[in-house]
Amino acid sequence: RDILSITLEDAGYSAVTAASGEEALVIMREDPAWAMFLDLKLPGMDGNELCRAIRKDWPMAIPYAVTGYATLFELAACRDAGFEDCEACQ
């Protein structure tokens, strides 16, 4: 999370981070982000659940899945959750 945030800020973007899916939803309600990178392995609400919640309330948002533990099963779940460009994950 910290490395991605630093990299984005070094490239000139504004980055906001959250330690959990629940915290991310609080941040989204206060100041929505329109592009985001969501870890699939989050404490509490996982990345797929978070993606579904974001897609429900902010359908124009662009969430990308990030994980170090991808499997083909998770790829199908990511597609179902509404992540962008899951085909590129194969």
Side-chain angles (χ1 to χ4, degrees), residues 49-63:
E49 293 171 298
L50 176 57
C51 183
R52 281 188 199 92
I54 288 169
R55 285 292 199 188
K56 178 179 165 253
D57 292 337
W58 299 276
M60 298 303 291
I62 304 171

Side-chain angles (χ1 to χ4, degrees), residues 1 11 17 23-24 27 36 38 46 50 52-53 56-57 68 81 89:
R1 176 177 69 211
T17 64
E23 182 182 349
I27 292 168
M36 62 209 66
L38 309 178
D46 71 20
L50 176 57
R52 281 188 199 92
K56 178 179 165 253
D57 292 337
C89 302

Side-chain angles (χ1 to χ4, degrees), residues 11 15 20 24 29 40 47-48 52 55 61 63 68 81-83 88:
S20 69
R29 287 183 190 107
L40 297 179
N48 286 326
R52 281 188 199 92
R55 285 292 199 188
F83 279 104

Side-chain angles (χ1 to χ4, degrees), residues 10-87:
D10 285 350
Y13 296 96
S14 174
V16 177
T17 64
S20 69
E22 293 82 1
E23 182 182 349
L25 287 176
V26 169
I27 292 168
M28 285 292 289
R29 287 183 190 107
E30 293 173 0
D31 187 21
W34 300 108
M36 62 209 66
F37 297 92
L38 309 178
D39 194 338
L40 297 179
K41 304 291 185 189
L42 294 169
M45 173 187 289
D46 71 20
N48 286 326
E49 293 171 298
L50 176 57
C51 183
R52 281 188 199 92
I54 288 169
R55 285 292 199 188
K56 178 179 165 253
D57 292 337
W58 299 276
M60 298 303 291
I62 304 171
Y64 290 96
V66 177
T67 189
Y69 305 97
T71 65
L72 289 178
F73 172 76
E74 286 180 337
L75 179 58
C78 287
R79 281 191 196 114
D80 292 344
F83 279 104
E84 291 291 321
D85 200 18
C86 287
E87 295 299 323

